[in-house]
Amino acid sequence: MKIAYFDATAGISGDMTLAALIDAGASWETLCKAIDSLRLPGCSLRKEETHRGGFRGLKAHVEVDSHPADSTESSPREHSHNHEHPHGHEGHHDKPHGHGHSHESEARPHAHVHRNLRDIIAIIGGSTLSPRAKKIATSIFQRLGEAEARVHGKPIDDVHFHEVGAVDSIVDIVGTAVCLDSLGVDRVFASAVAVGSGTIRIAHGTVGVPAPATAELLRRIPIAPSNVVGEQATPTGAAILATLAEGFGPAPSMRVETIGVGAGSKDWPSCANLLRVYVGEATEAIGAPATVKTTRETVCLLETNLDDVSGEWVGRCMDELLRRGALDAYSTPIMMKKNRPGVMLTAICRPADADSLEEIIFRETTSLGVRRQLIARSVLPRESRTVETVFGPIEGKVAFLNEAVRFSPEHESCRAAADRCGVPLRDVYEAALRAFAPSR
């Protein structure tokens, strides 16, 4: 089984990924034919060797005729990223970003139009790419579209890819898919990803690094420490890893056959702006693909100590916290100063909800101060599921941990059924668990 391991400790972008795979031995002839079949007006692909931080790397250039006779893409590119920024071509730290970043535009003055997901899928579907390459490219764009839709709060069909809709960005993603297929790569792994720091300018204004879409895509990916002031990971690079990599961390057990090095556009003073990919055969030690990935996210913990409120007040406050968006709320018996019994009221929430939930605590209790801290948590993938029982439909949650699948009936759904049918709550729970078992 052939695997590819991406060392993204200096960041990742679309063009860096493409260049690294070409350097690792992907067929240049196959790649060029595939890109030609996309029928993108005035588009050509060029490669050249360069150096970053004293080390050799390959740079991929997508060149677009500024005035092709049949081209409608006459507007200048908005972004430029360090890497390739999502949505645009990423040159790793210099490519235009996905919605108007400014790194890439300086390095790639290409014209672009705004395309939606259907437009891009149509371009891919009408090409001569292999079925596997089409599937890979479409999956990456789908993942990118989902992230953009979430960030902008709109349906995915209403999302228009700025830089990513540009010719060079399409070539980065499609080219990556073609190269992986050409190399015969079966599985992809990666290191933690450096994202950089500071701010970047995109079409929607100045934002912090990582850019919103990049951050959304990296929610399941560990971030590596970096002292680079600038953007090291672009949305396109993040989308490639989020879609294809099944594990992050040290390189898996493998026999390396080729090493490809893709160069970004910028020369960082503190590290070589290079993405390395190791391609080779997996050894017997590598296990089967994990069926799921644990989601790692940052949440806010709110706490306050109370010794002069009734239990009814505490209960009311917890209900309000949960109703207004808290992920969890609970109280813990404690002994306070002068041996007075009290409770510690705790709420866990999204960082964006912390202010509004803190206000609820102050309003509903006698608290004079709320402690706040950001913490990391790991969450198992889950999905809602409704099972049919003799007591009617019962809602619940299914959680996944590798090969294990767990079903937890929702208490309120079970309670309502028990009340409706006049049976013990326990009977409803057991019926729901039995109903789920055959459907696994």
Side-chain angles (χ1 to χ4, degrees), residues 84 110 151 305 328 362 426:
E84 90 211 336
H110 299 174
V151 166
N305 295 349
D328 198 3
F362 284 129
R426 181 185 64 234

Side-chain angles (χ1 to χ4, degrees), residues 187-363:
R187 298 170 65 183
V188 174
F189 298 86
S191 68
V193 181
V195 299
S197 63
T199 61
I200 53 174
R201 181 175 56 82
I202 65 174
H204 303 283
T206 298
V207 298
V209 172
T214 304
E216 179 67 28
L217 289 159
L218 291 176
R219 285 204 296 165
R220 294 175 176 83
I221 298 174
I223 293 175
S226 172
N227 59 2
V228 169
V229 177
E231 184 180 43
Q232 291 184 279
T234 67
T236 305
I240 290 170
L241 291 187
T243 304
L244 304 179
E246 63 183 68
F248 295 88
S253 180
M254 63 184 294
R255 184 171 57 254
V256 176
E257 296 174 353
T258 60
I259 300 175
V261 184
S265 300
K266 289 192 174 181
D267 227 337
W268 302 121
S270 57
C271 72
N273 188 7
L274 300 170
L275 171 71
R276 288 181 173 81
V277 59
Y278 301 84
V279 179
E281 290 294 323
T283 66
E284 295 181 2
I286 192 168
T291 58
V292 298
K293 301 173 185 176
T294 299
T295 299
R296 295 178 178 84
E297 59 185 12
T298 299
V299 295
C300 187
L301 185 72
L302 303 175
E303 293 179 336
T304 187
N305 295 349
L306 304 168
D307 65 356
D308 57 351
V309 298
S310 69
E312 289 86 352
W313 291 17
V314 174
R316 158 75 177 182
C317 184
M318 290 170 58
D319 288 343
E320 282 296 292
L321 290 169
L322 292 170
R323 189 171 69 86
R324 297 299 183 85
L327 301 172
D328 198 3
Y330 55 91
S331 62
T332 306
I334 58 174
M335 292 299 294
M336 298 179 62
K337 61 186 178 181
K338 298 181 180 179
N339 294 320
R340 292 198 300 264
V343 297
M344 179 170 64
L345 177 62
T346 304
I348 298 174
C349 64
R350 306 290 182 195
D353 297 328
D355 288 345
S356 61
L357 297 184
E358 185 179 78
E359 182 179 349
I360 291 174
I361 294 175
F362 284 129
R363 186 181 69 236

Side-chain angles (χ1 to χ4, degrees), residues 1-345:
M1 178 180 292
K2 183 166 287 188
I3 62 177
Y5 176 75
F6 288 92
D7 177 3
T9 51
I12 184 169
S13 64
D15 58 337
M16 293 177 75
T17 305
L18 177 59
L21 292 170
I22 295 171
D23 198 41
S27 170
W28 177 253
E29 180 180 2
T30 299
L31 174 62
C32 290
K33 287 182 178 179
I35 299 305
D36 286 345
S37 76
L38 297 175
R39 299 182 180 279
L40 297 172
C43 172
S44 62
L45 186 63
R46 179 172 62 86
K47 59 181 178 177
E48 70 167 339
E49 289 201 358
T50 186
H51 290 80
R52 296 288 182 268
F55 295 98
R56 172 210 163 273
L58 191 72
K59 188 78 175 69
H61 298 277
V62 178
E63 299 178 336
V64 181
D65 222 344
S66 58
H67 300 290
D70 58 345
S71 174
T72 60
E73 305 184 10
S74 58
S75 57
R77 292 194 54 122
E78 303 175 354
H79 322 99
S80 56
H81 251 198
N82 260 346
H83 268 160
E84 90 211 336
H85 266 323
H87 313 136
H89 209 287
E90 319 152 342
H92 193 190
H93 318 106
D94 306 307
K95 293 200 142 202
H97 218 313
H99 283 133
H101 286 245
S102 65
H103 296 131
E104 205 172 88
S105 56
E106 300 168 345
R108 299 179 160 196
H110 299 174
H112 79 278
V113 295
H114 294 180
R115 296 183 174 91
N116 62 24
L117 186 60
R118 288 193 302 272
D119 296 331
I120 294 174
I121 290 177
I123 291 173
I124 296 171
S127 71
T128 61
L129 272 66
S130 70
R132 181 168 183 257
K134 287 181 178 179
K135 181 178 180 180
I136 293 173
T138 299
S139 297
I140 295 172
F141 270 111
Q142 178 72 33
R143 189 65 171 268
L144 188 58
E146 292 169 353
E148 290 290 348
R150 184 178 179 88
V151 166
H152 295 290
K154 59 175 62 177
I156 191 169
D157 288 341
D158 293 341
V159 171
H160 286 79
F161 300 105
H162 299 336
E163 259 55 10
V164 173
V167 170
D168 50 0
S169 298
I170 295 176
V171 172
D172 283 346
I173 291 177
V174 171
T176 292
V178 171
C179 288
L180 287 169
D181 188 44
S182 168
L183 290 168
V185 172
D186 301 299
R187 298 170 65 183
V188 174
F189 298 86
S191 68
V193 181
V195 299
S197 63
T199 61
I200 53 174
R201 181 175 56 82
I202 65 174
H204 303 283
T206 298
V207 298
V209 172
T214 304
E216 179 67 28
L217 289 159
L218 291 176
R219 285 204 296 165
R220 294 175 176 83
I221 298 174
I223 293 175
S226 172
N227 59 2
V228 169
V229 177
E231 184 180 43
Q232 291 184 279
T234 67
T236 305
I240 290 170
L241 291 187
T243 304
L244 304 179
E246 63 183 68
F248 295 88
S253 180
M254 63 184 294
R255 184 171 57 254
V256 176
E257 296 174 353
T258 60
I259 300 175
V261 184
S265 300
K266 289 192 174 181
D267 227 337
W268 302 121
S270 57
C271 72
N273 188 7
L274 300 170
L275 171 71
R276 288 181 173 81
V277 59
Y278 301 84
V279 179
E281 290 294 323
T283 66
E284 295 181 2
I286 192 168
T291 58
V292 298
K293 301 173 185 176
T294 299
T295 299
R296 295 178 178 84
E297 59 185 12
T298 299
V299 295
C300 187
L301 185 72
L302 303 175
E303 293 179 336
T304 187
N305 295 349
L306 304 168
D307 65 356
D308 57 351
V309 298
S310 69
E312 289 86 352
W313 291 17
V314 174
R316 158 75 177 182
C317 184
M318 290 170 58
D319 288 343
E320 282 296 292
L321 290 169
L322 292 170
R323 189 171 69 86
R324 297 299 183 85
L327 301 172
D328 198 3
Y330 55 91
S331 62
T332 306
I334 58 174
M335 292 299 294
M336 298 179 62
K337 61 186 178 181
K338 298 181 180 179
N339 294 320
R340 292 198 300 264
V343 297
M344 179 170 64
L345 177 62

